[in-house]
Amino acid sequence: MSDLTDLYQQVILDHNRRPRNRGKLPTANRVARGENPTCGDQCSVYLRMEGDRIAEISFDGSGCAISQASASLMTTQLKGKTAAEAEELFKGFHHIVTTGEEPEEISDIAAFAGVHAFPARIKCATLGWHAALNALHGDTAPVHTE
Ligand code: ZN
């Protein structure tokens, strides 16, 4: 797993050092939790919806650098988006981490393209996104990646 260092690109390191939108959101009206037992990652996602739009979003959790950086980046991507737009963004992110194909537009999420070479890490990278989508759908049962 020596190539694993390739995963820790600048964007990932930065989000890991200075997570964005981290902490419980007191005004949240949707919450969902995700767990990735394989790696020991945990992630809760808090949303404050205004109609169909994500007015505010935060996450809280613990785990590996990939899971926490991905959740942090996810919050910056989803804030202000509608549920449908969030679904599209997740599809795009999922495509990147499962195929390694970078998006045409320059985007921070491309930093996660290297994850595709490490299938076990895909669960880490998508944990926060799965929790966010569950929160969007109002499904508050914990997400398990197993
Ligand atoms: Zn992990």
Side-chain angles (χ1 to χ4, degrees):
M1 293 289 273
S2 60
D3 287 338
L4 198 63
T5 47
D6 291 342
L7 285 175
Y8 296 90
Q9 297 176 29
Q10 203 54 46
V11 171
I12 296 176
L13 280 172
D14 181 52
H15 276 276
N16 210 53
R17 272 194 219 112
R18 297 186 300 119
R20 319 300 200 272
N21 306 305
R22 181 168 194 141
K24 212 170 173 175
L25 188 66
T27 54
N29 50 20
R30 302 275 182 87
V31 181
R33 193 161 57 87
E35 280 180 29
N36 177 18
T38 313
C39 184
D41 308 320
Q42 297 189 332
C43 183
S44 294
V45 174
Y46 305 86
L47 303 178
R48 183 170 68 78
M49 299 299 293
E50 276 181 9
D52 190 40
R53 196 168 287 278
I54 301 169
E56 286 182 90
I57 178 168
S58 75
F59 81 101
D60 206 355
S62 59
C64 69
I66 297 290
S67 69
Q68 301 305 301
S70 175
S72 169
L73 181 63
M74 180 268 300
T75 64
T76 68
Q77 298 281 312
L78 296 191
K79 189 172 180 182
K81 299 294 193 295
T82 64
E85 288 167 341
E87 299 266 4
E88 282 306 305
L89 283 165
F90 174 61
K91 273 188 207 157
F93 181 77
H94 194 261
H95 183 77
I96 290 166
V97 297
T98 52
T99 65
E101 288 172 23
E102 294 184 15
E104 284 170 27
E105 293 167 37
I106 294 171
S107 167
D108 281 355
I109 62 174
F112 287 87
V115 170
H116 88 281
F118 306 93
R121 291 289 174 149
I122 293 170
K123 292 175 180 177
C124 304
T126 55
L127 179 66
W129 289 82
H130 280 300
L133 290 190
N134 270 23
L136 272 177
H137 296 150
D139 181 359
T140 52
V143 187
H144 283 270
T145 56
E146 294 300 284

